[in-house]
Amino acid sequence: MRIGVLVSGRGSNLQAIIDNIEKGKLKVDIPLVISDNPEAKALERCKRHGVPYKVIERKAFKNKREFEERMVMELEDKGVDLVVLAGFMRVLSPYFISKFPLRIINIHPSILPSFKGLDAQGQAIRYGVLFSGCTVHFVDETVDGGPIIAQAVVPVFPGESSDSLAKRILNYEHRILPQVIQWISEGRVYVKGREVKVKGATYGTIPFNPDLEQF
Ligand code: GAR
């Protein structure tokens, strides 16, 4: 399977994907990383690991549609089967999403549907929840609202900062994102409406349902 990874910043989730590929645990290729930010630290990671990348800045285009058309063109050109949003800080339009139906996943630093949008970790601290975590979900036309594939829960300790919570959550992001990519590449992820089942997954209580259409 060929994955295209979209990033905007630090790229630690991209790094987790690269590390798992290099260890042989994740059997996919990354023919292209796209960053909308020329300063993204993620780009240094690409250079270090020989991963092809392109910077595509929103401001280089007249409007969002043309910006997204360029990204779609590059991804299609590389024969990408799955688009992975790994810290990509822009909302994609229905146009972009329609080009990759159930073929875009995102990692979000909260237990969705709580704390959608920006600064999810700060939102969790300010709300006073005792547990938070991260979610990998399919991207649909709603912001942070598509079908949930995997989640990991972490405790929120009394008085801790948003940065400290973000670090604890990030550790789990780095585990569940590569895991979900591997599941999808093995054809084990089935989607029906909002429900996602992973054939043979070692966690979760929902039994596998063979009626579901194969992802
Ligand atoms: C991660 O915590 C990711 O979950 C979050 O941005 C960070 C990117 O870190 N994404 C979002 O908030 C998307 N709404 P990284 O660049 O080191 O992977």
Side-chain angles (χ1 to χ4, degrees):
M1 192 175 73
R2 294 162 72 77
I3 65 168
V5 185
L6 271 50
V7 297
S8 297
R10 180 180 52 190
S12 71
N13 278 290
L14 169 66
Q15 187 72 54
I17 295 168
I18 294 171
D19 290 346
N20 278 284
I21 292 173
E22 290 183 351
K23 278 188 253 164
K25 283 168 93 180
L26 178 53
K27 296 173 196 69
V28 300
D29 294 327
I30 311 180
L32 183 61
V33 169
I34 294 177
S35 173
D36 64 338
N37 169 14
E39 309 296 331
K41 202 178 155 209
L43 298 174
E44 289 163 34
R45 301 178 192 272
C46 292
K47 288 178 202 158
R48 208 176 312 135
H49 293 270
V51 174
Y53 66 89
K54 284 216 159 101
V55 175
I56 303 180
E57 283 185 273
R58 165 66 183 87
K59 70 175 187 210
F61 299 87
K62 260 205 331 262
N63 50 45
K64 180 169 179 164
R65 176 62 178 251
E66 289 183 10
F67 166 64
E68 290 189 343
E69 278 172 357
R70 171 62 68 83
M71 291 199 291
V72 167
M73 198 186 85
E74 299 287 354
L75 292 163
E76 284 179 345
D77 186 55
K78 294 288 186 307
V80 159
D81 307 298
L82 180 74
V83 177
V84 178
L85 309 184
F88 185 67
M89 302 312 272
R90 285 180 188 277
V91 174
L92 294 167
S93 76
Y95 157 73
F96 185 99
I97 292 161
S98 72
K99 292 289 176 182
F100 302 95
L102 287 180
R103 291 283 192 281
I104 310 172
I105 60 172
N106 179 45
I107 176 94
H108 183 77
S110 75
I111 295 294
L112 289 170
S114 292
F115 313 129
K116 295 176 176 179
L118 294 176
D119 189 24
Q121 304 94 332
Q123 292 185 54
I125 297 266
R126 290 189 292 279
Y127 197 90
V129 292
L130 301 184
F131 293 91
S132 190
C134 47
T135 302
V136 179
H137 63 94
F138 285 111
V139 173
D140 66 9
E141 294 177 4
T142 61
V143 175
D144 297 329
I148 290 167
I149 311 166
Q151 295 186 305
V153 175
V154 307
V156 182
F157 296 132
E160 84 169 319
S161 67
S162 152
D163 278 357
S164 139
L165 175 61
K167 268 191 205 139
R168 187 171 321 106
I169 292 175
L170 201 59
N171 265 313
Y172 286 86
E173 295 188 35
H174 296 165
R175 298 184 204 180
I176 66 173
L177 184 57
Q179 172 66 266
V180 166
I181 295 169
Q182 181 61 23
W183 281 338
I184 292 174
S185 76
E186 291 170 352
R188 291 167 57 190
V189 177
Y190 295 73
V191 190
K192 189 178 191 181
R194 287 211 53 85
E195 281 186 62
V196 177
K197 319 254 194 260
V198 182
K199 190 177 181 183
T202 51
Y203 78 90
T205 53
I206 306 167
F208 170 63
N209 177 351
D211 289 344
L212 298 180
E213 102 203 26
Q214 174 146 24
F215 166 63

